[in-house]
Amino acid sequence: MITLKNVSFSYEGEERKSLNNINLSIKKGEFIVLCGKSGCGKTSITRLLNGLIPHYYDGKLEGETLLDNNSISQLPLYDIAREVGSVFQNPKSQFFNQDVFSELAFICENLGMTKREIHQRVTKSISSFSISHLLERDVSQLSGGEKQRIACASVSAPNPNIYLFDEPSSNLDVQGIALLRNTMANLKKQGKTIVVAEHRLHYLMDLADKIILMVDGKIEKSYTREDFLNLPPITRNSMGLRCARLQELLPYKSEEKPVFQKHIAFKGFCYMHKSAKKHSLHMNPFYIPKGSVTAIIGENGAGKSTFAKCLCGIYKKCGLMEIEGKDENWKARRSTCYMVMQDVNHQLFTESVLDEVLLSMDQEEEVLAKKVLKSLDLEHLSHRHPISLSGGQKQRAAIATAVVSNREVIIFDEPTSGLDFTHMKEVSKQLRELSKTGKTIMVITHDPELILDCCNYIIKIGGGGVKESYPLHQNREKLLHYFIEGGVSVE
Amino acid sequence: MSTTSRNSKLTGKDLVTVGIYTAIYFASIMVVGFLGFIPIFIPLLSVLVPIVGGIPFMLFLSRTKKFGMITIFSLLNGLFMFITGMGIYSIATGLIFGLLADLMIRSGDYQSSKKSLLGYGVFSCWLFGNFMPFYIGRKAQFEMLTEGYGAEYATALEKLMPLHLAPVMFAACFLFALVGGVIGRTACKKHFKRAGII
Amino acid sequence: METDKTPFYIIDPRTKLLILALNSVFVFGGAGGADTTMEILRHVITFIPLGLLFFGGKRKPVLLAAIFYVAFHVLQVTLFEHTKGVLNYILLFSIGVFVRILPNIMSGYYFISTTRVSELVGAMEKMHLTDKLIIPIAVMMRFFPVAMEEAGAVHDAMGMRGIRFGGRHPSKILEYRLIPMITCSVKTGEELSASALARGLGSPIKRTNICSIGFRALDYAFWILGVFTVFVFITTLL
């Protein structure tokens, strides 16, 4: 039903072909997973199928994309929307309405259906996605998994036969992923054709019929699910792919048990949002080893980000951090703690990487700045505009500013969401190296591969408090159990 | 940057772009806009807003290739001012100066940097709509104030927003927009172009 | 026919626009001068959005605004004449803010906090506005909070870096504040555009709107009040 014939595409202003001579046919009812390193072209394929290429993204398009023998580039976007439903990754930009019901009706409204028809269709989506309990809520109050379910339900209203997902799990926690998987299984059962471009593969393995590996804008190979799962994990990793089963992560190189002499204690971290009725953060005293790489895990909304903001003094007057026998309040922590935000773009201000580092120094010393840049492998980029860097380079630039301003504790907010295996490994290496220089690292994350690769201590947060804390050494199974079983209860 | 489309009719994409950039323009001028809550700073806004607004406006121009986008952008400003409780007159000034700016920038084929700059100057005069409540029906107001609260009140108010300040503020909107436009263009070159946004 | 379960204090967005306009012209703009009826109408017009907000559950800001409005109005009538110099000036400013500007801000707050994008779109469609306006307005209303969120995140990041007014590069403070906010907003905005267009927004077909908006008792009452106010205004001109 979908056929791509010799399709090539390069985005406006780019020399490189993002898609290079793609030939692909997708049968009705197939579940296709597109995978590969960042920038391999998997997202571009989804954009081709929903018409955003060429109707929204300008560029040079060659070849033909046929949807039931109609050329997609000839159809206007609103006609494609009847046949193809698109689900994106970012909840901040994916929805158009505040309330769930309007969102469900949005496409039908745009297509000018009658009110009666809209009500019928929306009622049908509500029952087929079992979301009647969410109708009264605002989209912003929903959990990540619920949001993706609403996104699916809303694109399902005009009854399309094809569903596209562009990295739908990037912002999801364990439960969210389980809910998403469940939603996709439901669509598959209805006989819908599904195409998913994704880095995280493990949750798709029971659903996928075909796994297509892309490299540099070309289709490298197409696997059946069995063939793909039979590949040794190390082969998949070398293709830049994440694990296909979480269990693969269990075996590890025999590492020595890390020894920590000192601790950092956190006392009285409580925070209440202005409009809230109860504390969103209410933590009993806890500690982490100084010099460790500590993972902070827990569901979305458990209070992880609130803790990070309190720690860095963004939220004021909250808690004391005892380090080297000294109690530091929020004000003091503004110069000892630093957060690398999930969207690093928020914290890069200047016009070159070098300026960025100089800005963070008490005394602008170019020699020292260059030394730090060199240690982070940024020296050759020191005159580039920070925003023009790749995601990983931006993170390193932010790290550089933390290093030169002598921060003791650096907390990362989901540094690997939406990263492929190779880039995740880079982040992991960076974190380990930072901790070797004596910094204490905290990582808020939903990424078990990252944790098992570089962390050595775990703090689990739930309901605004610390639920559990343990060293990772000899507790790998326990941690993995959380990520495997955590989602099961939802289904 | 998008290619110049032969079709000069506004498409859905263009309309969405206008909405996005109006929001960005507003979020930008909010940086100084809060000063407007303090009456003594109100006249100062005719200097600050055109300066700050230059950056988002010049970026918006890089996405503008068709007639109508600037007019809608400007009219939207007025409407947004209205629904956030800043008065009704900006709807009129927004429409008028937006249309004039659009015509001016179109005469340079949406390419000429000189005309873009002047166009931004003209566009920024929409801001005067915010000051109009202080001047419209001024006579009636003074009568009311003198009758109701004594002549002193009326004179004090006259001191705060004297009549001769009106043309000064109007001119400030235009002139400081030229400054803001240059800043905006520099920012586009220095930041947005190098960052790969345009 | 279902019975109307909508609470009485929910009014049509078009009526909200009317209240805004009345506030803007007669309270902020002071049209109608010192006419006694107009003076009373000004108080009524000021208290309509406050009352509606109060019933809608926004108790605290409403009470605060009401207290300030009444207090400064009383000061304006009583104490003001007898003050001199600096005190006179300060009082003048404060009266301007709390008696003329505040009611407008509150009606703006009322509009923004109680009107959903879909309702506003529905209202504009009923007013037969063109899609060329409706679509950008809807997008702007949808996107403005996102842009402010980005601005907030940039503000947080500046605090963490210790970049503030009076820092080392005072001339660049504007740049630091605006550039990252605009950059992030442009990126999110592009995603939003793509998503909205892929969901059929901007099609030339006449849009349907499922929002159940329409005039009810309170709406008619406010429109009658509006007509009456304009009538009083005209009589003051004669």
Side-chain angles (χ1 to χ4, degrees), chain B residues 60-192:
Chain B
F60 171 62
L61 281 191
S62 74
R63 319 266 152 138
T64 309
K65 298 281 167 277
K66 293 181 194 168
F67 183 69
M69 290 175 81
I70 299 169
T71 313
I72 298 175
F73 181 94
S74 184
L75 177 57
L76 245 58
N77 276 333
L79 288 168
F80 193 70
M81 277 285 145
F82 172 57
I83 58 172
T84 48
M86 310 290 164
I88 200 166
Y89 305 105
S90 298
I91 300 180
T93 53
L95 181 60
I96 294 165
F97 293 109
L99 190 62
L100 291 177
D102 211 344
L103 288 169
M104 171 163 279
I105 296 171
R106 186 177 70 165
S107 73
D109 228 2
Y110 298 96
Q111 307 277 337
S112 152
S113 60
K114 208 163 102 196
K115 292 209 162 135
S116 302
L117 201 59
L118 286 174
Y120 176 58
V122 172
F123 158 82
S124 284
C125 296
W126 75 268
L127 198 65
F128 192 72
N130 279 346
F131 309 125
M132 277 164 68
F134 298 104
Y135 292 104
I136 283 193
R138 200 175 168 84
K139 206 174 140 237
Q141 270 188 57
F142 274 107
E143 272 166 27
M144 159 182 121
L145 293 173
T146 323
E147 248 175 68
Y149 316 113
E152 181 146 7
Y153 186 92
T155 5
L157 197 73
E158 162 69 28
K159 268 186 218 149
L160 181 61
M161 271 281 174
L163 200 58
H164 61 79
L165 198 60
V168 175
M169 288 197 292
F170 194 84
C173 286
F174 181 79
L175 291 175
F176 285 95
L178 299 184
V179 177
V182 172
I183 294 179
R185 219 158 46 194
T186 318
C188 282
K189 249 184 240 144
K190 201 166 85 168
H191 286 288
F192 301 132

Side-chain angles (χ1 to χ4, degrees), chain A residues 123-411:
Chain A
T123 314
K124 203 171 154 233
S125 335
I126 292 169
S127 73
S128 81
F129 287 89
S130 339
I131 45 171
S132 49
H133 59 295
L134 303 176
L135 287 184
E136 299 295 314
R137 310 253 295 275
D138 270 6
V139 177
S140 60
Q141 298 164 351
L142 305 177
S143 74
E146 287 168 341
K147 279 181 185 154
Q148 289 303 42
R149 179 165 277 213
I150 295 299
C152 288
S154 95
V155 298
S156 81
N159 198 23
N161 283 309
I162 301 161
Y163 286 78
L164 299 178
F165 294 83
D166 184 11
E167 301 188 20
S169 79
S170 289
N171 288 290
L172 299 185
D173 58 9
V174 185
Q175 282 86 348
I177 291 178
L179 200 58
L180 173 65
R181 205 199 79 89
N182 183 301
T183 310
M184 288 175 165
N186 179 9
L187 287 172
K188 184 175 163 134
K189 214 159 56 195
Q190 293 173 29
K192 304 294 184 186
T193 310
I194 298 165
V195 179
V196 191
E198 185 58 294
H199 285 299
R200 276 175 175 160
L201 300 172
H202 61 83
Y203 75 101
L204 297 168
M205 281 304 121
D206 299 327
L207 300 167
D209 298 313
K210 242 193 226 170
I211 291 116
I212 293 174
L213 174 71
M214 295 192 63
V215 175
D216 290 335
K218 289 190 187 139
I219 293 180
E220 178 80 9
K221 203 166 161 57
S222 170
Y223 297 92
T224 64
R225 182 188 353 175
E226 288 69 30
D227 288 349
F228 188 74
L229 284 170
N230 284 335
L231 293 173
I234 194 152
T235 312
R236 274 188 252 113
N237 289 345
S238 68
M239 301 167 178
L241 302 182
R242 296 296 199 104
C243 66
R245 297 272 184 215
L246 288 175
Q247 285 82 351
E248 282 171 15
L249 303 173
L250 196 55
Y252 60 105
K253 321 137 248 173
S254 58
E255 253 180 63
E256 277 176 47
K257 187 178 178 199
V259 187
F260 296 110
Q261 311 283 351
K262 294 175 182 163
H263 289 110
I264 300 178
F266 300 89
K267 300 181 286 196
F269 273 74
C270 291
Y271 190 79
M272 186 151 76
H273 287 282
K274 254 190 196 139
S275 54
K277 295 222 161 50
K278 60 177 210 216
H279 282 90
S280 41
L281 198 67
H282 195 99
M283 298 172 123
N284 290 325
F286 69 100
Y287 70 87
I288 62 167
K290 188 168 182 289
S292 66
V293 181
T294 297
I296 299 181
I297 59 173
E299 311 160 19
N300 287 337
K304 303 187 301 291
S305 299
T306 311
F307 168 70
K309 286 187 175 177
C310 287
L311 178 73
C312 300
I314 293 171
Y315 290 157
K316 294 169 188 171
K317 294 176 188 158
C318 158
L320 292 173
M321 176 175 87
E322 189 189 319
I323 181 166
E324 303 278 354
K326 259 198 337 228
D327 275 348
E328 291 186 345
N329 65 3
W330 67 275
K331 228 170 186 168
R333 288 200 305 273
R334 279 193 158 190
S335 44
T336 55
C337 300
Y338 194 76
M339 169 160 54
V340 176
M341 298 167 133
Q342 192 178 3
D343 189 347
V344 182
N345 293 319
H346 289 134
Q347 53 196 151
L348 300 173
F349 298 98
T350 61
E351 57 198 282
S352 79
V353 176
L354 183 62
D355 282 350
E356 201 62 48
V357 176
L358 291 175
L359 180 66
S360 273
M361 302 172 107
D362 291 331
Q363 302 284 317
E364 298 195 3
E365 289 174 58
E366 220 171 295
V367 182
L368 180 63
K370 284 196 171 145
K371 209 174 117 198
V372 171
L373 286 178
K374 191 169 181 189
S375 73
L376 288 161
D377 194 22
L378 286 171
E379 203 187 16
H380 59 295
L381 301 169
S382 62
H383 293 289
R384 281 271 295 275
H385 196 289
I387 304 292
S388 70
L389 304 177
S390 75
Q393 291 164 345
K394 280 182 204 172
Q395 273 178 12
R396 295 211 299 274
I399 294 172
T401 65
V403 171
V404 293
S405 53
N406 296 317
R407 312 287 173 130
E408 281 304 317
V409 179
I410 305 175
I411 187 163

